[in-house]
Amino acid sequence: MAGLVTARLLHDSGFQVTVIEARDRVGGRVWTDESLGAPCDIGGSWIHGADHNPLTDWCKAVGIRLFYTPDDDRYIYENGQAQERSKLEQAAWHGLTVAQQAIEEAIARAQAAKAEGQRPYISLADALQPVLADASLSTLDRRMIAAMVAVAEGVQGAPADLLDIEEWFPKEAHGVNAVPIGGYKQLLDDAVTGLDIRLRQPVQKIVYTQKEVQIITPQTTFTADLAVITVPLGLLKTGQLQFEPPLPIAKQAAIDGIGFGGAGVLGKLFLRFPYRFWPADHAWLLALPPSPEERGGFSSWFNLETITGAPILMGFTNGYTAANFDRHATDAEVCAAGLQVLRQMFGNDIPAPENFIFARWLSDPWALGSYSYPAVGGSLDDRRLYAEPVTGAHGAQLYFAGEATDLTDYGTVHAALRSGEATALRIYQTYCGTPRSQGYAPWR
Ligand SMILES: Cc1cc2nc3c(=O)[nH]c(=O)nc-3n(C[C@H](O)[C@H](O)[C@H](O)COP(=O)(O)OP(=O)(O)OC[C@H]3O[C@@H](n4cnc5c(N)ncnc54)[C@H](O)[C@@H]3O)c2cc1C
């Protein structure tokens, strides 16, 4: 999204732009898969904060309807019985309060350390592990706390011991959220209009000299005045994409300081059944993790029938469980794990799925993770520095855009969009000396 938006804005402003893409498709971590007979967004699917989001306006401009997903419609299932989550939260109020206090104390410690000029390394797990292990809490209390941690691990995109305590809160889960009916791909179709896109061109190396930028793929070398790099952060952290000369040390340190991949991933499993066996009017179907240690394995399901009309459930896996599924389990094993949870929720006589999709973003060589996360000991300055262009002798030659450059909403599609727009504007001003005219920007 960041790359397409940058390219489209500059193209429409008169620049000669080439999009160089490793895959055989555009969209990257936004992709609408139709193999289950209905559009399923296997990467980004929600428009978070849809009441104040440029993607909402873009959808409106191109005629895409939105499905607003209710936040309060969450039911927890066990053995075929449903209970409103809010009722269980009341029952587990003691444990949840203890957990909240532990988090607040840890944040206070982190802030005090920062005030003294130190870089604190306090994770969500540091704050909550003692609470999760507290035998004086009831089983329900501990399972409810584990469910809360699992939501943070999913929305923030990494296991609790990798998440910085100050950014632990999964705010996207709680705002106004909407899904584009028919899938995100419709926005990609709009974005690519008129662009010169070269697919199956994995960039291996970028050589930037005083004169030009060379972008080298196994097949060819592209030469340009400047390059905008929007690959997922993982490719820059692992050195899979090389630079000559190497990126400045401070910039590489900033890249290394931002969380991405490793054990950090959100996994999604889509199961298409012969018929719906879950209530038609519930959006979120939840289970409690059996224990804090066993959290992260498909205890959240979203009812996609309300959006696609097809009997499809989308399940989430997160934390270390998700990383293990992604790297080590077969598709059949992942599907069986999802089904096992659904049987505990709805009973053993649920039908077998007709088909399924499990997206492996961590093993995907062009993603290496799902989205950037707030790493323990990290700082927003890392993201600021990552977003800064690298200046060659003739001015800035390498620009960087993508979700991980955003200071507040990193890890989202609109962060990618925003960074693409900001980068295009920056380039336009640098090379043309005037602010960009308001051309193609249907999200405004
Ligand atoms: C499972 C999952 C669920 C998500 N859910 C949501 C959600 O509900 N809402 C939300 O807002 N966001 C969500 N996100 C995050 C969102 O999808 C991303 O933040 C956003 O799409 C990132 O866009 P980007 O342009 O920064 O990067 P990308 O989309 O990753 O684009 C980078 C591009 O670079 C290409 N590339 C990589 N390496 C090379 C190379 N060497 N040479 C050439 N090309 C290369 C890739 O193929 C890709 O096309 C989710 C992501 C995942 C994975």
Side-chain angles (χ1 to χ4, degrees):
M1 188 58 81
L4 293 177
V5 165
T6 315
R8 180 68 191 275
L9 287 170
L10 289 175
H11 168 269
D12 286 8
S13 308
F15 283 68
Q16 191 185 337
V17 186
T18 308
V19 178
I20 304 166
E21 167 58 55
R23 300 176 195 269
D24 59 2
R25 61 166 181 83
V26 295
R29 285 170 279 163
V30 168
W31 187 241
T32 309
D33 186 306
E34 308 240 9
S35 61
L36 296 188
C40 294
D41 277 314
I42 61 167
S45 49
W46 270 274
I47 297 176
H48 294 300
D51 46 347
H52 291 100
N53 191 312
L55 293 163
T56 306
D57 298 328
W58 192 356
C59 286
K60 196 170 165 199
V62 297
I64 303 169
R65 286 185 304 123
L66 298 182
F67 176 86
Y68 283 84
T69 54
D71 183 38
D72 50 357
D73 173 33
R74 290 176 196 247
Y75 286 82
I76 294 185
Y77 283 80
E78 206 153 66
N79 303 324
Q81 304 291 320
Q83 292 204 61
E84 278 179 53
R85 188 183 61 172
S86 52
K87 295 254 162 56
L88 284 175
E89 279 169 355
Q90 281 164 16
W93 69 271
H94 174 62
L96 290 172
T97 307
V98 172
Q100 199 58 44
Q101 281 168 347
I103 289 172
E104 282 166 20
E105 279 165 21
I107 291 175
R109 267 188 286 131
Q111 289 172 344
K114 272 189 186 162
E116 286 174 15
Q118 299 163 16
R119 196 165 189 170
Y121 286 81
I122 305 177
S123 71
L124 178 61
D126 290 332
L128 285 188
Q129 207 47 50
V131 182
L132 287 169
D134 183 347
S136 73
L137 292 177
S138 73
T139 304
L140 176 66
D141 282 13
R142 292 170 68 232
R143 289 176 76 196
M144 287 295 286
I145 299 165
M148 180 183 85
V149 176
V151 171
E153 292 180 319
V155 176
Q156 301 296 64
D161 61 329
L162 303 184
L163 290 176
D164 191 74
I165 189 63
E166 285 190 89
E167 303 252 346
W168 81 276
F169 186 69
K171 60 182 187 303
E172 285 103 295
H174 299 284
V176 176
N177 293 315
V179 171
I181 297 174
Y184 255 114
K185 185 175 173 298
Q186 300 163 96
L187 291 184
L188 301 175
D189 291 344
D190 186 51
V192 298
T193 312
L195 292 182
D196 174 7
I197 299 173
R198 312 293 175 91
L199 299 176
R200 298 178 207 86
Q201 292 281 352
V203 180
Q204 294 174 317
K205 193 172 188 180
I206 295 183
V207 178
Y208 55 112
T209 66
Q210 293 193 347
K211 196 163 92 262
E212 63 189 18
V213 181
Q214 292 170 2
I215 298 136
I216 302 168
T217 76
Q219 297 91 336
T220 188
T221 296
F222 297 87
T223 304
D225 295 320
L226 65 100
V228 182
I229 293 137
T230 68
V231 296
L233 197 70
L235 279 100
L236 301 178
K237 285 172 86 78
T238 56
Q240 203 159 308
L241 178 57
Q242 291 174 10
F243 291 86
E244 192 180 306
L247 293 176
I249 290 170
K251 189 175 188 81
Q252 190 60 50
I255 288 168
D256 294 342
I258 306 170
F260 195 99
V265 71
L266 171 72
K268 279 177 163 187
L269 173 66
F270 297 80
L271 299 176
R272 180 171 181 141
F273 291 94
Y275 56 86
R276 175 177 50 74
F277 57 83
W278 57 92
D281 52 347
H282 289 185
W284 285 101
L285 313 158
L286 309 173
L288 287 184
S291 69
E293 297 71 34
E294 295 166 283
R295 66 179 185 266
F298 300 114
S299 43
S300 293
W301 294 86
F302 186 76
N303 175 6
L304 274 183
E305 194 190 48
T306 45
I307 301 170
T308 64
I312 298 175
L313 287 177
M314 170 168 66
F316 293 90
T317 172
N318 38 56
Y320 285 109
T321 310
N324 279 332
F325 280 144
D326 190 301
R327 289 214 173 95
H328 304 302
T330 63
D331 280 356
E333 285 166 345
V334 177
C335 179
L339 271 179
Q340 190 186 345
V341 179
L342 287 173
R343 289 200 184 101
Q344 282 155 6
M345 292 166 69
F346 295 101
N348 282 331
D349 50 357
I350 63 170
E354 290 175 336
N355 207 346
F356 68 94
I357 308 168
F358 178 59
R360 294 174 193 264
W361 294 103
L362 201 53
S363 314
D364 181 330
W366 312 123
L368 299 181
S370 47
Y371 36 85
S372 65
Y373 59 83
V376 192
S379 136
L380 289 180
D381 286 339
D382 293 332
R383 293 183 191 268
R384 271 191 204 96
L385 188 49
Y386 167 44
E388 279 303 304
V390 172
T391 311
H394 286 260
Q397 292 178 319
L398 303 183
Y399 291 79
F400 293 80
E403 56 85 8
T405 61
D406 197 278
L407 297 187
T408 54
D409 294 354
Y410 51 82
T412 65
V413 180
H414 62 278
L417 186 165
R418 256 181 356 206
S419 77
E421 187 171 26
T423 305
L425 181 63
R426 195 167 187 169
I427 291 170
Y428 191 91
Q429 285 179 336
T430 303
Y431 285 80
C432 304
T434 56
R436 217 194 115 252
S437 64
Q438 303 290 310
Y440 168 84
W443 49 82
R444 276 209 224 101

